[in-house]
Amino acid sequence: MALMNIRGSHSNISFIINACRRAANVSIPFRCIKKGKRFLHNFPYSYYTPKKDCIFAYLFCRKYHAVILNPPYSIAGCSVRHHGDNGTTNNSITKQKAVENKFFSDLRYAHSCTQVFKLLSSLEVLTDTMAAAALLRVAQVETKDSILTSPSDIFDNMIFKAICLQFEQESKKLSTAAIVNALKAFVQLRVDPWSTLMVRLLSESQERVDKGEMNIQNLCILGRCLLEIEGPECAMLKPVMDQVIQKKINDWTPEEISMVYGLLQAGLGEKGQYQDLLNQMHEVTVFKASQMNPALISSVLTSLVELKQTQAIPLVIRLCKNSVRYMPHFTDEELMNVIVALTNFGHSDKYFTEALERHIPRMVFTMSPELVSRIMGYCSKRLILSKPIFDAVAESFVYNSEKLTTLQIAQQIIPFGKLNYLPPNAASMFRRLEKILSSRFSQFQPQILLKLLHSCLLLERFPVNFVAKIFSPYFIQQLQDQSGNVDKFVLCQLTQLYLTVMLECPFYEGPRLLPKYRVKSLSASGHSLETMVDDHLYNRVKSGLIDLLGARMYFASHVLSPYCYTLDVEIKLDEEGFVLAASSHEEVHKRIALCIDGQKRFCCNTHILIGKESIKQRHLRLLGYGVVQMAGV
């Protein structure tokens, strides 16, 4: 590890700045470095330097020009002692570590490249790992959405140039950690991969990979850099992964496990590559999950989602259980990654839900809107009706709705209808929603808007003021795909909206839905507005009815009514209440609809019907059916 001892900082730095200025236009031409007959690097120049856009090239690619200074072993006026030099004592090593730790602590509070460089200029001792960490911090604070915010402040800085020169000229004397972290920083800063600096650092990295000198952490950082530069086709990635595979997974730390998952997620695990390695990692990680902190749990779950590891459910369950104790310690982003993973893998846990119920009411007003929306989406998909969560979100919505995007508004309101729940402040919540719809109607994506209004129907909140717009030819045209067709599920929603207006809003006098957009059945493949009857429960009910009525002929199953709903069982009665044959069409005075409600028609672990089943039974009663609910929860 190189030690850069700064003494008399003001005069020395002035000297080096003047030297840098005199040499600013001197550059070393690129030479391709070979090892035997094999080229070490094959990086496309156009990856970082678009030929047709000079402004883009300036923002995304700063070609490094090596600055010639004398003597070669000086940086910012510092004499250099390399790791392993004679004279190193235990006291000096201890002192060096203390200086490094203080520097790393101070570096966290630097929020611009100017502050980072100011911190560097104030040091008496600078190691290569400290310099690499400073470069990484510069990349972090000066990059937003992969764009450098102030490239000239970085690349024109004399200290930055001096560090680059030192790393270029003495790459063989740098520690491995310094090399890979410097590479990571230069990649994030969009330094030209064909520059002498990058070529030498990559060349030295490959030599150390070939010698087996890199640990898991360094291999993963190098691998991510290579993926950024050249993509999964980079030839140098194979020896990197070979080294990873050769190391014993049982000896990996939780941090190293997370880094390997991240490396595979970044592109190496596509199309089932390294699946054997992933399977081994899943087995080991199950036992090491209890050692993982919130950041690692979040990172691993994200990787499992991106890599489509549907077979890793035991690991997902274990990570979910360990998430419970860390609930108050998750950042918004970390918790969102956990929620997304659980939603994706279709897993829910009683204790995780209880932890959310304790956490969300306290934090909902300070949570990011996206996280709140994701939590509601998770509850909706898993049919989790949690009153503490829903009540807190409803209250938050009233006060924070102006800050939400139209999609987030829909994501937070639709689950109330789907799970058939009215919060205590329902009146305030729907008044706020109506106000938003009135002012921002045109901003909603048509299908999202239809889903939102449909969810209101499920709760007997009728959006009469907006129905005319929904039924207009212009709006329906917006619902059409490129071929001019409207999705079957969308037509089902429109039909149920129309049926609701006709049955429950007799005062409505606006336009009707055109007949060509009305469906005969509300059951649509994929996303039906009716839940299919549970076959096992149906067979039990059928046997009981045969015993009760005396024959199978006295009831019909799966009957499509004239009003679009499918009846599980229909029984016909005459005027005196006697049961008629199912085939009878005359003398029918009363129709009985048996709703055989299995667990899928209820919110999870409750006796509350989900919204689409509740509105179905409500409409059947309004249509004159005698509704008999047979619940088998």
Side-chain angles (χ1 to χ4, degrees), residues 419-570:
L419 301 188
N420 192 25
Y421 179 68
L422 281 172
N425 69 332
S428 300
M429 185 179 78
F430 282 104
R431 275 198 303 270
R432 173 61 64 179
L433 178 60
E434 184 173 8
K435 183 178 179 180
I436 292 171
L437 289 172
S438 297
S439 61
R440 301 171 65 181
F441 187 90
S442 61
Q443 298 176 19
F444 282 85
Q445 197 271 341
Q447 291 194 3
I448 296 297
L449 178 60
L450 180 59
K451 287 181 180 179
L452 177 59
L453 296 179
H454 181 266
S455 71
C456 296
L457 299 180
L458 305 181
L459 294 169
E460 298 184 76
R461 295 300 186 271
F462 311 115
V464 179
N465 294 337
F466 308 102
V467 170
K469 293 182 180 180
I470 298 298
F471 290 162
S472 70
Y474 172 73
F475 185 83
I476 293 179
Q477 186 179 18
Q478 291 182 300
L479 295 171
Q480 296 174 352
D481 56 25
Q482 293 180 348
S483 60
N485 298 318
V486 182
D487 181 75
K488 176 69 181 298
F489 181 66
V490 171
L491 292 177
C492 288
Q493 289 179 314
L494 287 170
T495 301
Q496 193 167 52
L497 176 58
Y498 171 75
L499 186 61
T500 302
V501 170
M502 296 300 101
L503 290 174
E504 302 185 73
C505 306
F507 51 85
Y508 174 74
E509 297 179 353
R512 303 310 199 239
L513 181 68
L514 295 177
K516 65 178 180 179
Y517 297 120
R518 302 175 200 168
V519 296
K520 294 182 178 180
S521 171
L522 294 179
S523 295
S525 59
H527 301 278
S528 176
L529 291 183
E530 296 181 283
T531 307
M532 296 297 295
V533 65
D534 180 88
D535 289 337
H536 177 69
L537 188 58
Y538 166 76
N539 289 330
R540 289 170 56 192
V541 171
K542 183 176 71 171
S543 299
L545 285 174
I546 292 174
D547 292 341
L548 177 66
L549 301 177
R552 177 68 178 79
M553 62 178 290
Y554 292 110
F555 64 91
S557 303
H558 311 300
V559 179
L560 178 61
S561 74
Y563 309 101
C564 311
Y565 291 109
T566 300
L567 310 181
D568 298 332
V569 172
E570 183 186 52

Side-chain angles (χ1 to χ4, degrees), residues 115-129:
Q115 292 178 357
V116 174
F117 294 137
K118 183 177 180 180
L119 177 62
L120 289 174
S121 66
S122 69
L123 296 175
E124 294 182 357
V125 176
L126 179 65
T127 66
D128 58 353
T129 53

Side-chain angles (χ1 to χ4, degrees), residues 572-575 578 580 584-590:
K572 299 176 181 178
L573 306 178
D574 64 15
E575 190 172 358
F578 290 102
L580 299 173
S584 299
H585 297 290
E586 299 179 357
E587 300 182 355
V588 177
H589 179 72
K590 185 75 172 178

